[in-house]
Amino acid sequence: MDFLLKDQNGTDIRLSDYKGKKVLLSFHPLAWTSVCSDQMSSLEENREKFAALNTVALGLSVDSLPCKKAWADSLGISGTSLLCDFWPHGDVASQYGVFREKHGTSERANIIFDENGREIFRKIYPIKELPDINEIIERLKNPPALGSTDKDS
């Protein structure tokens, strides 16, 4: 499922723009919260590892562009795109089955796509749990066999 969202800098980002690369969609409920800040900072801190694994990491939440811009600036995130799933509210999170209707936010989730856009990993975490970035890096190094998907929700 392709999508078009703006990042914190107002740049249009399409999932299909990354064909030929692996993509990590890292959903977080809301900006300006401690676990979400740590989650997005870990993406930024591991950019070189992701690049070495032919992977682009994208952070997503339902926050607006001005909110995401201020938050990214405050965290020192300059190389990782933080996408705004603001309007229609949570549309991309809904498309991927990780929207929490009752709360109006996404789950805390990581979804990995291979170079052909095929989903190869999905994990939904407890809201207050920081995803283990090393688990994600290991999944990128050792993807599941062709035709299988690694899902842990």
Side-chain angles (χ1 to χ4, degrees):
M1 294 172 275
D2 202 13
F3 60 76
L4 171 65
L5 292 175
K6 292 201 180 293
D7 73 3
Q8 73 269 27
N9 298 310
T11 303
D12 286 344
I13 304 290
R14 282 186 174 80
L15 182 60
S16 59
D17 290 342
Y18 298 105
K19 187 134 178 121
K21 292 189 178 283
K22 294 176 204 155
V23 177
L24 166 62
L25 297 183
S26 191
F27 289 90
H28 57 285
L30 290 171
W32 302 102
T33 60
S34 63
V35 178
C36 295
S37 295
D38 291 345
Q39 182 181 351
M40 294 304 101
S41 292
S42 74
L43 298 182
E44 182 77 2
E45 291 162 8
N46 286 281
R47 281 184 53 236
E48 289 181 19
K49 288 180 185 175
F50 290 132
L53 294 166
N54 192 36
T55 303
V56 174
L58 303 170
L60 291 90
S61 74
V62 298
D63 297 290
S64 68
L65 195 150
C67 175
K68 278 292 187 73
K69 175 68 174 151
W71 187 50
D73 288 349
S74 78
L75 293 174
I77 293 176
S78 60
T80 301
S81 290
L82 303 182
L83 308 184
C84 306
D85 193 11
F86 181 71
W87 196 257
H89 187 75
D91 186 53
V92 172
S94 293
Q95 286 179 45
Y96 287 98
V98 296
F99 188 70
R100 302 170 74 214
E101 189 73 37
K102 179 179 176 183
H103 302 297
T105 66
S106 73
E107 297 282 359
R108 186 173 312 284
N110 282 318
I111 303 173
I112 299 173
F113 298 90
D114 70 10
E115 294 86 349
N116 298 308
R118 184 178 64 95
E119 183 179 317
I120 59 170
F121 175 82
R122 171 185 292 253
K123 185 169 183 179
I124 297 173
Y125 303 83
I127 287 297
K128 295 180 180 181
E129 179 182 310
L130 178 65
D132 180 356
I133 197 69
N134 293 317
E135 174 188 38
I136 297 305
I137 290 167
E138 282 304 310
R139 293 287 193 245
L140 291 166
K141 287 180 182 176
N142 302 298
L146 190 61
S148 66
T149 302
D150 189 1
K151 293 187 180 185
D152 184 8
S153 57

